[in-house]
Amino acid sequence: MPKIKTNSGSKKRFALTGSGKIKRKHAYKSHILTKKTKKQKRNLGHFTTITTADLNNVKKLLAIK
């Protein structure tokens, strides 16, 4: 049986932490930034972990067991 390929878009968007969690960047940080507050833009810049609801789907895309 052939190996499962990693989704190319997903490997650019997600990263594994040392403890095995998957981290992602926040959305809404790329354009139309003038109407967003400084606090909102600052908080959108940080990484966060994916929710448990999305965990199985992202693991399939990244070919993680």
Side-chain angles (χ1 to χ4, degrees):
M1 194 163 154
K3 293 181 180 178
I4 299 172
K5 287 188 177 180
T6 301
N7 183 280
S8 295
S10 296
K11 66 184 176 187
K12 297 168 190 172
R13 288 177 170 83
F14 301 107
L16 283 172
T17 62
S19 61
K21 294 179 183 176
I22 301 171
K23 64 181 181 177
R24 66 168 178 86
K25 292 195 93 169
H26 283 98
Y28 308 111
K29 184 67 165 67
S30 59
H31 61 95
I32 313 175
L33 299 173
T34 53
K35 62 177 76 170
K36 296 178 179 119
T37 63
K38 290 179 184 178
K39 181 179 179 180
Q40 186 180 6
K41 289 185 278 191
R42 181 173 62 246
N43 290 333
L44 287 174
H46 300 152
F47 280 92
T48 186
T49 56
I50 63 168
T51 60
T52 54
D54 298 327
L55 188 61
N56 288 333
N57 289 335
V58 174
K59 281 187 174 182
K60 284 179 190 174
L61 292 171
L62 295 174
I64 299 172
K65 292 188 177 185

